[in-house]
Amino acid sequence: MPYRIRGTYLESCNCDAPCPCRRIAGRMGGRSTHGICDGALSWSIVEGSVDEVDLAGLAVVVASRYSDDEEGSPWTFALLVDERADAAQREALGHIYSGALGGTVLDHFPWAWKASNSLGVQPVRIEIDHSPGRGWFRAGEQASLRISAPYAGPETVTCVIPGHEREGRELVAGELRVGTGPLAFDYRGVCGYESTFDYAG
């Protein structure tokens, strides 16, 4: 099924800012700050569809963990989709964000190109505000993020998930919390990142 979705992106993980996993001043990313990366990623879909299923106005959150010391660093991830989505929309979002529909997401989603552990798709109430430099989201009781400020350093930073070709900005998160299945963590003062996205297939 053909698809295209566009919108805004906001994430945080437990790395120190600027996140060493990202591309910094053109240098390829490397090992995470602590060896285990705990994160929460969010997308607010401004416009888009899969085949004839409209996805505009919906949101998606991924809660995740991987270890640099595990061979292949497979991701464990939970896909949290907007509870306002009907059955067809929920199925479409699950297919895109799992990588099942292929396309450009296979260049951007590590959990889609690695042998990873999916915790399934969960419909939850997602509240989301991607205001530049002060964004936040809440995905039910499963995940929340609140940005406290932009990162003050001079480095140019890009991230593979929205795409290294897209401009973005490193941030500092005042709150990063996840509690779903085996993923349970709570951090303050860790890194964040904001950008836009445009995926198609």
Side-chain angles (χ1 to χ4, degrees):
M1 294 182 289
Y3 73 88
R4 186 176 185 185
I5 53 173
R6 293 178 282 182
T8 55
Y9 175 79
L10 178 67
E11 70 159 58
S12 176
C13 74
N14 63 318
C15 285
D16 298 337
C19 177
C21 310
R22 294 194 249 280
R23 189 175 293 177
I24 301 173
R27 299 187 305 274
M28 292 295 292
R31 185 180 177 86
S32 60
T33 302
H34 306 289
I36 292 178
C37 183
D38 293 329
L41 327 172
S42 69
W43 296 260
S44 179
I45 301 171
V46 174
E47 58 180 322
S49 62
V50 174
D51 203 4
E52 297 181 355
V53 178
D54 184 19
L55 301 176
L58 298 176
V60 173
V61 169
V62 165
S64 64
R65 170 177 290 148
Y66 69 86
S67 169
D68 289 310
D69 295 323
E70 187 174 352
E71 185 176 357
S73 61
W75 287 46
T76 295
F77 70 98
L79 180 57
L80 311 175
V81 300
D82 202 318
E83 70 176 9
R84 297 174 300 159
D86 62 25
Q89 290 170 321
R90 192 177 305 161
E91 182 179 27
L93 290 170
H95 286 326
I96 292 174
Y97 281 88
S98 69
L101 294 184
T104 58
V105 299
L106 296 182
D107 298 323
H108 298 286
F109 296 170
W111 60 91
W113 77 65
K114 296 181 176 185
S116 296
N117 175 30
S118 171
L119 301 178
V121 179
Q122 305 172 40
V124 300
R125 181 185 180 190
I126 299 179
E127 303 168 87
I128 198 163
D129 180 347
H130 283 177
S131 296
R134 54 186 179 87
W136 62 274
F137 67 77
R138 183 179 298 107
E141 297 298 317
Q142 289 90 335
S144 63
L145 167 64
R146 186 170 295 276
I147 297 301
S148 57
Y151 170 66
E155 298 92 341
T156 299
V157 181
T158 62
C159 177
V160 67
I161 294 174
H164 290 300
E165 75 283 0
R166 307 186 77 81
E167 291 186 1
R169 180 162 57 164
E170 189 76 2
L171 307 166
V172 177
E175 170 195 325
L176 167 61
R177 185 192 59 79
V178 164
T180 180
L183 301 176
F185 48 84
D186 192 335
Y187 297 102
R188 301 289 186 275
V190 292
C191 73
Y193 189 78
E194 64 184 9
S195 187
T196 60
F197 69 91
D198 188 343
Y199 307 136

